[in-house]
Amino acid sequence: MHHPYYIKMVYGSSSHADRPWREEKEDYLHFREEQQLLCNHFGDATGFLVYETKHSRGGSDGSQTIFARGSIESLGCENVWAEQQIEDDYGNRYPLGVKVRFDKIVSPEKGLTREQVYQLCPRLENHFGRVKGGLIGITLDEFKALSAALDRCE
């Protein structure tokens, strides 16, 4: 199902070098090779929020907050492996990417908690644990509510 906006989930990181994103700059959000369809859906969207998860193998990395917002800049999903070779700690490769522009980024520790997300968007309760491929489709109203709350985070 296509949505105009998404929450894109990314693994937490103990190193800011792993995530070189900057406000008002373009970069890519990545997908694994078998996630071509999800990458296509994301590439067709208008905007997004980024949620930092904990690693599935434990550890303390991952704030479990929404900490960034932006817009889709490319005309879809593309193979960007030649430009950015992204692998996670488990050896999964992420050769597919969608070019995006970040217009708001806060430290993940200061982002919107799941409890805050659920208060603003009750429909999203229980969605974070059952997400296939790291995307949650959201409506324009949900995007606006979460964006306004993110703007109050510093």
Side-chain angles (χ1 to χ4, degrees):
M1 180 177 199
H2 293 275
H3 293 275
Y5 299 92
Y6 285 97
I7 296 172
K8 171 75 169 111
M9 302 177 103
V10 298
Y11 283 133
S13 175
S14 57
S15 169
H16 291 291
D18 290 344
R19 203 175 286 142
W21 308 331
R22 300 290 174 260
E23 285 186 5
E24 302 306 324
K25 300 286 184 194
E26 291 182 351
D27 211 321
Y28 288 96
L29 285 176
H30 294 86
F31 294 82
R32 292 196 318 255
E33 197 164 24
E34 65 273 14
Q35 295 176 322
Q36 179 76 52
L37 186 61
L38 291 171
C39 187
N40 290 341
H41 289 327
F42 187 74
D44 289 340
T46 301
F48 64 91
L49 297 161
V50 180
Y51 176 84
E52 185 178 80
T53 69
K54 286 195 174 208
H55 275 289
S56 59
R57 294 185 184 169
S60 60
D61 294 339
S63 63
Q64 296 185 297
T65 63
I66 290 176
F67 71 96
R69 175 187 64 233
S71 58
I72 308 300
E73 295 295 311
S74 63
L75 297 175
C77 182
E78 47 191 311
N79 188 319
V80 297
W81 188 255
E83 293 176 56
Q84 291 185 345
Q85 296 184 2
I86 305 295
E87 281 188 44
D88 64 22
D89 295 343
Y90 313 121
N92 295 311
R93 293 172 44 158
Y94 293 77
L96 303 177
V98 174
K99 188 177 278 190
V100 300
R101 175 176 291 277
F102 290 93
D103 56 55
K104 177 74 174 184
I105 302 173
V106 300
S107 170
E109 296 78 31
K110 298 186 189 254
L112 296 174
T113 65
R114 273 202 273 187
E115 291 74 27
Q116 291 171 303
V117 171
Y118 298 156
Q119 285 177 341
L120 293 166
C121 305
R123 180 188 73 83
L124 297 178
E125 195 158 348
N126 299 320
H127 275 64
F128 286 84
R130 304 178 294 149
V131 176
K132 183 175 180 175
L135 283 182
I136 300 172
I138 58 175
T139 66
L140 174 60
D141 289 340
E142 290 167 334
F143 181 78
K144 285 180 177 179
L146 295 169
S147 291
L150 182 63
D151 284 339
R152 293 189 291 275
C153 295
E154 295 303 325

